[in-house]
Amino acid sequence: MTRSTLRTFSPRACFAAIRTFAFVVAICLMCAKAFAAPAPIVLTGSDRRPATSLNGEWASIIDPYFSGLFSFHHEEKKNGWFMNYKAKPGDPFPTEYDFAKAPRLNVPGDWNTQRPSLMYYEGPIWYEKDFTWEPKPDTHVFLHIGAANYHSWFWVNGQKVCEHEGGFTAFNCEITQAIHAGNNFVVAAVDNTRHEDGVPGRETDWWNYGGLTREVSLIEVPESFIDQYDLHLSRSEDGVIEGWVHVVGKQAGDKAEVEIPGLHAKATADIAADGRASIHFNVHGLEPWTPETPKLYKVLIHAGHDSIDELMGFRTIETRGTEILLNGKPIFLRGVAIHAEAPYRTGRAWSDKDAETLLGWAKELGCNYVRLAHYPHDETMLRAADRMGLLVWSENPVYWALEFDNPKVLAKAEQQLDEEINTSRNHAAIILWSMANETPNTPARTQFIETLATRARGLDPTRLITAALLVRAQGTTKIVDDPLGQALDVIGVNEYIGWYEGHPDSADKTEWQIAYQKPLILSEFGAGAKAGLHGGENERWTEEYQANVYRHQLPMLNKISQLRGMSPWCLMDFRSPNRPLVGIQDEFNRKGLVSDQGQKKKAFYVLQKAYKDGSIGKAE
Ligand code: GCB
């Protein structure tokens, strides 16, 4: 042993080290206790349950210095200063804020488009709403949040009820112990700061809309309740619906029951010790869900005193070689990519009207499919897709470069993937779970996304796994050989020939070399155009240029023998801070086929013609 190691192990030093360690542990435990709150849960089909809406006006306080959240300077302000908004007699501090006098923000809604001073705001904003409540005996009450971008904390009557990270998935915080009869108040802190170790990370090509961007409500369920379920048409047995219903707090003798009155079919199953009841039953005369006939059935799910009245379609999706089979038949996915940007008013989309307008344009284009980029869209959009007959690619927000070697980042991506799948798994419209978009080809990235793909398959073996990959070029040949392709059922590929590289007619000379004998979806191509700007077909930003890019892309794509679908970028112009070109972009990505004000550009009609006359997608 050297002198210095001996010194390290002297009894005095040891004692000091133990004391420091104990002190650090104590501080950590205190912090953990102060910040601890039960993890939120997923409730499948929460929009089908009776709920008390908390939508509408909420009081708001802007907190750019995070003083309300993390002030360690004043003991009294620690850990959510603003949550104690009702000053108590004897409070050592004068109350320096008052939600009653604070300006209002609408929920649902991003804050950016509600107040000009908030357009560029990134940081926390505090929300508060009063409500009254009449509790029923033996129930659980959940605060349902459709989405809060990005990190959020919730208190009910001053008691912390949950914390959530991830801006595009729904979650439910149990508030049974915090809520009481009569007047109550809920306080939320929502922070849209971007982080290197976030999912997505610091850089995206869309506006970082903050706030309670989707609906908020109170959901009351019986003591024993159905939290999740999965019902789908079997791929291996004809005319069989299978899946499971999961019950929390099952009581002795409880059974789960699934009934489809329209098919005179009913299944009853025992609930196992883990709360899960396996469902498997024959149905006769089922009309499978297709884009042409998007038949939805009323499905009644019961367990104990709990019941959910669902509306579901049934179909199968699988691959065979390079084909995609919907209900056993090859299909070509005539699609378009869509951001959750609200038409006309801009901002984050959330309403039925937003969904119907966007998907209505997709139908008008002749689509049977949409890529809902680059994060999970809301239930409203998915319900509309079910109703309107549009197949869906649903996407986890693993976008561009993340900290792929950071296990915490993987955990965040996994959590969002779980929430996405567990929330949306009963939508007939969804056929593809996309793990990622345009991620750099590194071993850490490949391992990260393979882990996600395995997890997604474990959670839902009935759908196809995809990701939008980058391609590499050798002369005029585009090569798709990203090793991630091995983990996918369907290869997605983005390319911008004629926009970020070459000219529109460069597509004519382009050959494709694809390392995988799997179906391929051209998940993005496109070009920018300002609606109403006209000029020559080689003059950038004009509608003519964009239409020209589409005219040259389509024949090139038709030559890719394993092409089974496409979703050009994109349906509608959307806000992005990366697009500052004055007079043209004005902070909008202008690759939409429709402007944010609903003007259809020339390329819309080029694509519409190809989709409608069948000149693209001969595979069908
Ligand atoms: C891409 C991205 C998409 C961008 C688009 C563009 O490759 O996937 O998010 O918005 O390109 O317009 O550059």
Side-chain angles (χ1 to χ4, degrees), residues 205 374 399 437-438 496 500 524 569 574 579 589 591:
D205 187 25
H374 279 303
Y399 181 89
N437 178 71
E438 288 188 356
Y496 281 89
Y500 293 126
E524 284 180 35
W569 193 255
F574 59 95
R579 313 290 170 174
N589 183 314
K591 296 191 189 71

Side-chain angles (χ1 to χ4, degrees), residues 90-132:
D91 271 356
F93 268 83
T95 309
E96 296 188 283
Y97 62 93
D98 186 351
F99 279 113
K101 294 187 184 139
R104 314 278 121 173
L105 280 171
N106 282 319
V107 173
D110 62 88
W111 62 54
N112 314 69
T113 56
Q114 294 192 49
R115 233 181 267 165
S117 62
L118 294 179
M119 182 52 91
Y120 296 90
Y121 182 71
E122 292 191 312
I125 288 191
W126 290 80
Y127 285 79
E128 188 276 339
K129 193 169 181 73
D130 297 316
F131 63 94
T132 55

Side-chain angles (χ1 to χ4, degrees), residues 6-150:
L6 268 176
R7 205 173 51 223
T8 315
F9 283 95
S10 77
R12 232 170 107 184
C14 264
F15 181 68
I18 289 167
R19 219 177 39 201
T20 313
F21 178 72
F23 179 72
V24 169
V25 168
I27 293 286
C28 288
L29 288 174
M30 270 166 59
C31 288
K33 193 160 174 250
F35 280 104
I41 66 161
V42 167
L43 288 174
T44 312
S46 55
D47 62 328
R48 302 294 300 175
R49 288 181 174 276
T52 305
S53 173
L54 293 183
N55 291 346
E57 290 190 341
W58 288 53
S60 62
I61 296 177
I62 306 166
D63 185 13
Y65 291 2
F66 295 74
S67 314
L69 267 177
F70 302 122
S71 176
F72 289 100
H73 179 55
H74 298 297
E75 181 64 20
E76 294 81 352
K77 295 181 182 177
K78 201 158 79 181
N79 309 330
W81 175 35
F82 289 154
M83 74 178 174
N84 297 309
Y85 94 111
K86 302 212 193 286
K88 288 182 248 38
D91 271 356
F93 268 83
T95 309
E96 296 188 283
Y97 62 93
D98 186 351
F99 279 113
K101 294 187 184 139
R104 314 278 121 173
L105 280 171
N106 282 319
V107 173
D110 62 88
W111 62 54
N112 314 69
T113 56
Q114 294 192 49
R115 233 181 267 165
S117 62
L118 294 179
M119 182 52 91
Y120 296 90
Y121 182 71
E122 292 191 312
I125 288 191
W126 290 80
Y127 285 79
E128 188 276 339
K129 193 169 181 73
D130 297 316
F131 63 94
T132 55
W133 184 248
E134 277 178 43
K136 294 195 197 101
D138 305 327
T139 57
H140 293 269
V141 188
F142 288 94
L143 178 66
H144 169 80
I145 294 103
N149 190 31
Y150 168 77

